[in-house]
Structures are given as C-alpha cells and as structure tokens.
C-alpha cells in the first residue's frame, strides 16, 4: 500500500511541475499578447517534456499550436498541460481545440476555464 501511495504522490508532483512550467511559459508573453491572455502549454510523453509553447504576440499562433510546432517527437498519445481553456472559435487563428483533437492527445490538463460568455467551456467540451 505504501508503494501505491508513493507512486500516486510522485504522479501528483509530476503533474504540478508540468503545470508550473506551463505557467512560467505563459508569463513570457508579457504585454505582447494584449488584449488576449497569457497562455503557456507543455506537451509530455512518457513523463518527458517533448514540446513547449506560449502565446507570443497578439494575432499570432496560440500556445498550443506553438507547442505542437516545437515537438521533438510524435505527439499522438501525449499529455498536454495548458494554463487556459483552448479556444474553440475561428478568429485571427483557427480553433486550438480542433488542433488538440487532430493531434490525438491522450489527456489534457487544464489550469483554468475561460470565464467570458462567448467562449465559456466550448474548448473544454469539444
């Protein structure tokens, strides 16, 4: 039983570290992304980070797409850690939610859902 608990705690620590890294990346966007939010993304496969990305500039690719573009190996079956719910609408860029589905991510970890009425939970519910 102790081994199982230790494995669970190790897994929780890993999740927190990956999300913490996504938060660090999000901050790199600074004011360049205004009026959009700062968003960071980390893609993990076999407990190793294989890609990172963040929203770098307003009108540019979002964090999820930048992470996919930086992947060092196949992302299918990987886990993605993102600081904000993926967009689900066509604007200056296509929906990130569709890209995540297209890339066949195994699991998606989300720090926060969007709280504005036009996007509320649409990306999360895709």
């Amino acid at each position: 039983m102790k081994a199982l608990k230790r494995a669970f705690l190790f897994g929780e620590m890993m999740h927190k570290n990956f999300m913490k890294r996504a938060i660090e990346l999000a901050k790199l966007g600074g004011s360049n992304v205004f009026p959009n939010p700062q968003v960071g993304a980390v893609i993990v496969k076999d407990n190793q980070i294989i890609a990172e990305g963040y929203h770098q500039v307003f009108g540019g690719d979002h964090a999820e797409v930048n992470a996919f573009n930086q992947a060092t190996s196949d992302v299918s079956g990987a886990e993605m850690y993102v600081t904000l719910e993926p967009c689900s609408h066509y604007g200056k860029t296509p929906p990130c939610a569709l890209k995540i589905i297209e890339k066949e991510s195994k699991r998606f970890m989300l720090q926060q859902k969007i709280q504005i009425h036009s996007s509320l939970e649409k990306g999360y519910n895709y």
Side-chain angles (χ1 to χ4, degrees):
M1 192 62 145
K2 283 185 177 182
L4 182 59
K5 184 176 181 180
R6 196 170 27 249
F8 175 78
L9 292 174
F10 177 74
E12 286 296 307
M13 184 179 69
M14 297 272 297
H15 291 307
K16 287 179 183 177
N17 287 338
F18 294 139
M19 187 57 74
K20 182 178 176 185
R21 178 61 184 150
I23 292 167
E24 290 169 354
L25 290 166
K27 292 176 183 177
L28 296 176
S31 62
N32 294 330
V33 301
F34 183 81
N36 287 351
Q38 299 173 346
V39 181
V42 174
I43 301 174
V44 176
K45 195 167 188 177
D46 300 323
N47 293 323
Q48 298 292 319
I49 294 175
I50 61 168
E52 298 180 332
Y54 65 97
H55 188 198
Q56 298 175 1
V57 64
F58 175 71
D61 286 336
H62 292 178
E64 301 92 331
V65 173
N66 283 329
F68 285 129
N69 291 341
Q70 297 298 319
T72 58
S73 62
D74 180 27
V75 297
S76 61
E79 298 175 334
M80 181 173 243
Y81 295 77
V82 180
T83 59
L84 190 66
E85 177 179 357
C87 65
S88 61
H89 61 277
Y90 286 88
K92 294 186 182 302
T93 62
C96 293
L98 288 178
K99 181 64 93 174
I100 292 166
I101 292 167
E102 173 190 306
K103 295 292 187 176
E104 300 178 358
S105 294
K106 176 176 82 173
R107 188 163 46 170
F108 186 79
M109 312 300 184
L110 181 65
Q111 181 199 14
Q112 175 179 326
K113 290 184 183 179
I114 294 176
Q115 298 298 314
I116 44 180
H117 66 82
S118 64
S119 298
L120 186 61
E121 292 190 351
K122 290 180 183 174
Y124 180 76
N125 291 326
Y126 238 88

